Amino acid sequence: MFRSIILLIPIVTAAYDDPAQQLVAFKNSTQGPIGIMTTSNGAPVKYKYATGTLNSRLLFHEYFMDSLTHFSRERIPERVVHANGAGAFGFFEVTHDITHICKAKMFESVGKRTPIAIRFSSIFGDRGASDTLRDGRGFAVKFYTEEGNFDIVGLSAPAFVIKDPLFFTTFVRSIKRNPQTDLLDANLMWDFLTLRPESWNTFMRVFGDRGIPVYTNMPGFGIHTYQVVNDAGMSYFIRFHFVPDTEEKTLTSEQARGINSEDADYNKRRLFKAILNGDFPSWTFSIQILSVDDVKNADFDVFDVTKILPQDKYPLHPVGRMVLDRNPDNYFADIEQLAFNPANLVPGILGGLDKLFEARRLSYRDAHYYRLGANFNNIRVNCPFNTKPLTYNRDGHAPVKDNQKYLPNVYPNSFNGPAPVEPWRDFSEPELLHIIEADPNNLDQIKDYYQYTLTDGERKRLLENILSSLVSATQFLQDRAIALFNSIDPDLGYKVASGLALNTTMEMHYLGLK
Ligand SMILES: *[C@@H]1O[C@H](CO)[C@@H](O)[C@H](O)[C@H]1NC(C)=O
Ligand SMILES: *[C@@H]1O[C@H](CO)[C@@H](O)[C@H](O)[C@H]1NC(C)=O
């Protein structure tokens, strides 16, 4: 007979400081099995070998059936980009008043805290790839605010590779696998890079020291110039920056090669461990602020996502801090299902004005529908738990939660179902400004960056990283690249050309973007 009363005792795992000890710590916090094992239907399982079914059918072995059939369904599509990631939870705390710029409730008073989730990710690597490959990185933050979730789906570089969203699939395919060989392909990548030089403002940073970041010490950028509005209805334009409170840390190609051969999960492990040890990573959440006049007077398109906004002109203003102090309880539930969307905006934050932002509003939603189903916002980590959603959406694949219970399911209705905010109650919210976007022209900023920002050591490593990738591209692509390097800096062009001719690079084979 089975025990009929199962005590549900919350298990608090004993403190531990090394992720490798997680199971031991769990064991230490318990005294024997924590309960009776059940099928997913909840029925107690009586132990029986599957081979010991001589006189009964395997089909009647409910544990066997439950286990094997669930197993073949336990994968969901991995993200096409940003598949490999690590994340954690914590809070955002306002340290500086910006209510004169933005009326969003999360900024309403100094000291106010909002729960957050952050996911760091590499861009081209598959889900199981090493997280210390040379690549751009995602730095996505979800703020669980009282006015719904606000997501900043940012990156580790201050600009994006393309301005026209039509080239998004082109860009992603070019850094991923060749259709026949299924190998990363230098020709694919350098063709894209040399056809779309606006990508160089980002790519030269990826080939430089920032290309292999350490997540706990990595800066993040919101990329788009967002329109925000204050209580009086005045618009401002801001870019978000996450500045690590500890010194920025990166790995050289050589260091990363050593790490990759020993631990493909260096960044994930390090983040988890830091939080276990109470060494909570934190960032200063800062913004660059532009008034309508600043936008009009700028000598370039401040909404161009392939450009950065120079900080000497538009300085950083600290707003708050973001602290990660809690690891996921379960990676799949908490991080693999964590779904960010630039369209998750709150009153006072109108979003980016550019076409890429518009495209991202579609593509993130679309990806979540595909990976997680129509009710992905009902998944615990995506729920706007600081507010109560009252929608007219119903049904669909699980999880539906309470499916809005007995509330009226049509709008409009005459039965007191949820009603929208009356326009007169929110008169201060303007429309998103319309902008006209021209073709990008981006070598100017990367020229400055190469010539005036980089140190000699950084230039040397950048050159090595470029050579070790470009050496695998075919001649005409090398020539096209050299011409572009020449226009960034003749010395750089010369060094790339002679480096390729002399084959002096340390690595003569193509290793991802290394
Ligand atoms: C588990 O308990 C043993 C015995 O008390 C102890 O030596 C060990 O450090 C503990 N390990 C963890 C990770 O809690
Ligand atoms: C550079 O090295 C590759 C591979 O070792 C070789 O095939 C190629 O001919 C070399 N090129 C030059 C210019 O020496």
Side-chain angles (χ1 to χ4, degrees):
M1 284 300 277
F2 296 108
R3 259 187 290 160
S4 55
I5 299 166
I6 295 164
L7 292 177
L8 292 174
I9 307 162
I11 314 271
V12 181
T13 303
Y16 62 109
D17 56 14
D18 178 355
Q21 295 302 310
Q22 186 269 326
L23 286 172
V24 179
F26 177 80
K27 181 176 183 179
N28 279 1
S29 61
T30 52
Q31 279 129 17
I34 57 152
I36 303 276
M37 168 182 171
T38 73
T39 60
S40 33
N41 186 44
V45 167
K46 197 156 87 176
Y47 195 77
K48 199 159 65 171
Y49 285 110
T51 46
T53 52
L54 191 59
N55 296 316
S56 71
R57 293 191 189 105
L58 204 47
L59 234 84
F60 297 169
H61 191 322
E62 198 44 35
Y63 165 49
F64 166 81
M65 291 295 286
D66 188 44
S67 162
L68 228 69
T69 51
H70 187 276
F71 184 69
S72 33
R73 288 162 178 79
E74 71 186 25
R75 287 287 177 273
I76 61 169
E78 71 171 44
R79 295 165 172 91
V80 181
V81 268
H82 296 278
N84 177 272
F89 301 88
F91 62 88
F92 165 73
E93 181 179 279
V94 180
T95 53
H96 294 71
D97 181 33
I98 56 156
T99 50
H100 57 294
I101 304 289
C102 179
K103 67 174 184 180
K105 260 189 123 158
M106 61 182 275
F107 302 126
E108 76 183 340
S109 54
V110 170
K112 180 171 179 133
R113 283 190 178 190
T114 299
I116 57 170
I118 296 185
R119 182 173 181 269
F120 309 105
S121 53
S122 49
I123 296 180
F124 79 86
D126 307 320
R127 174 141 146 56
S130 167
D131 60 17
T132 44
L133 296 178
R134 181 168 299 284
D135 194 357
R137 294 297 190 287
F139 188 138
V141 189
K142 188 183 287 292
F143 299 84
Y144 301 92
T145 91
E146 294 153 70
E147 300 173 300
N149 293 346
F150 168 50
D151 295 355
I152 301 177
V153 195
L155 294 171
S156 63
F160 194 59
V161 285
I162 42 143
K163 182 173 178 177
D164 187 330
L166 259 188
F167 295 126
F168 183 70
T169 48
T170 318
F171 153 61
V172 172
R173 296 231 169 98
S174 79
I175 57 171
K176 285 190 152 270
R177 296 172 182 280
N178 171 297
Q180 176 167 24
T181 63
D182 202 37
L183 299 169
L184 300 180
D185 192 316
N187 287 328
L188 261 183
M189 187 179 74
W190 283 98
D191 192 26
F192 169 79
L193 290 183
T194 52
L195 287 173
R196 304 305 321 172
E198 68 266 32
S199 62
W200 285 38
N201 211 11
T202 301
F203 260 91
M204 289 306 104
R205 288 176 161 85
V206 172
F207 277 117
D209 284 356
R210 279 202 168 163
I212 314 179
V214 172
Y215 288 171
T216 51
N217 302 57
M218 173 172 97
F221 303 88
I223 305 294
H224 305 273
T225 303
Y226 281 67
Q227 185 172 349
V228 296
V229 59
N230 66 14
D231 257 328
M234 267 169 71
S235 285
Y236 288 89
F237 302 88
I238 65 178
R239 277 207 185 178
F240 296 106
H241 293 247
F242 315 134
V243 184
D245 289 331
T246 42
E247 201 186 351
E248 182 178 348
K249 265 197 197 134
T250 58
L251 302 171
T252 63
S253 296
E254 211 177 342
Q255 288 169 325
R257 268 193 291 279
I259 289 168
N260 288 340
S261 63
E262 280 170 16
D263 184 4
D265 302 313
Y266 173 86
N267 264 315
K268 188 185 288 175
R269 189 184 316 280
R270 216 176 158 281
L271 172 68
F272 202 98
K273 191 167 175 174
I275 294 174
L276 277 184
N277 287 298
D279 196 1
F280 301 138
S282 69
W283 288 261
T284 299
F285 178 103
S286 306
I287 54 176
Q288 289 176 289
I289 307 170
L290 286 78
S291 64
V292 175
D293 281 342
D294 290 334
V295 170
K296 285 185 189 151
N297 296 334
D299 55 5
F300 69 104
D301 173 9
V302 298
F303 300 106
D304 183 344
V305 289
T306 60
K307 289 221 162 83
I308 63 171
L309 301 188
Q311 290 187 21
D312 49 359
K313 252 190 190 158
Y314 314 105
L316 285 189
H317 297 268
V319 179
R321 60 191 193 116
M322 305 192 304
V323 179
L324 289 181
D325 60 4
R326 184 164 60 84
N327 276 315
D329 280 336
N330 178 282
Y331 182 83
F332 185 90
D334 296 344
I335 306 299
E336 191 61 14
Q337 295 197 107
L338 188 52
F340 296 93
N341 184 352
N344 286 350
L345 299 165
V346 292
I349 304 177
L350 279 62
L353 289 68
D354 54 281
K355 279 289 172 238
L356 186 78
F357 192 88
E358 210 176 314
R360 293 179 83 195
R361 291 183 74 135
L362 165 72
S363 76
Y364 284 76
R365 180 191 306 272
D366 196 34
H368 304 324
Y369 278 147
Y370 173 65
R371 295 184 66 237
L372 306 167
N375 291 306
F376 68 87
N377 278 319
N378 283 333
I379 294 171
R380 193 180 49 157
V381 280
N382 301 322
C383 277
F385 63 76
N386 255 332
T387 181
K388 165 131 186 67
L390 285 172
T391 84
Y392 285 94
N393 292 334
R394 294 292 185 279
D395 308 352
H397 283 290
V400 297
K401 295 183 84 183
D402 67 10
N403 207 23
Q404 306 280 323
K405 292 189 177 166
Y406 35 68
L407 302 186
N409 66 344
V410 294
Y411 180 80
N413 65 72
S414 315
F415 305 102
N416 287 344
V421 181
E422 294 296 339
W424 56 265
R425 286 169 63 188
D426 201 31
F427 62 91
S428 56
E429 193 100 322
E431 292 282 302
L432 205 60
L433 218 71
H434 288 280
I435 59 167
I436 296 165
E437 293 189 89
D439 281 344
N441 161 23
N442 265 67
L443 289 184
D444 290 353
Q445 285 198 342
I446 199 63
K447 261 183 215 174
D448 271 7
Y449 179 70
Y450 182 78
Q451 293 180 351
Y452 304 115
T453 308
L454 294 184
T455 63
D456 285 348
E458 286 170 327
R459 284 199 201 114
K460 184 169 167 285
R461 289 187 293 274
L462 171 66
L463 176 69
E464 282 167 8
N465 296 332
I466 289 167
L467 285 173
S468 64
S469 169
L470 189 55
V471 72
S472 310
T474 200
Q475 181 80 48
F476 81 90
L477 293 176
Q478 291 184 347
D479 293 344
R480 245 165 39 187
I482 290 166
L484 284 162
F485 284 119
N486 261 322
S487 60
I488 289 175
D489 186 288
D491 181 57
L492 176 62
Y494 170 78
K495 282 178 174 152
V496 170
S498 45
L500 289 172
L502 289 169
N503 260 358
T504 53
T505 55
M506 299 181 319
E507 285 287 317
M508 282 302 154
H509 54 282
Y510 181 57
L511 281 170
L513 292 178
K514 273 198 217 68

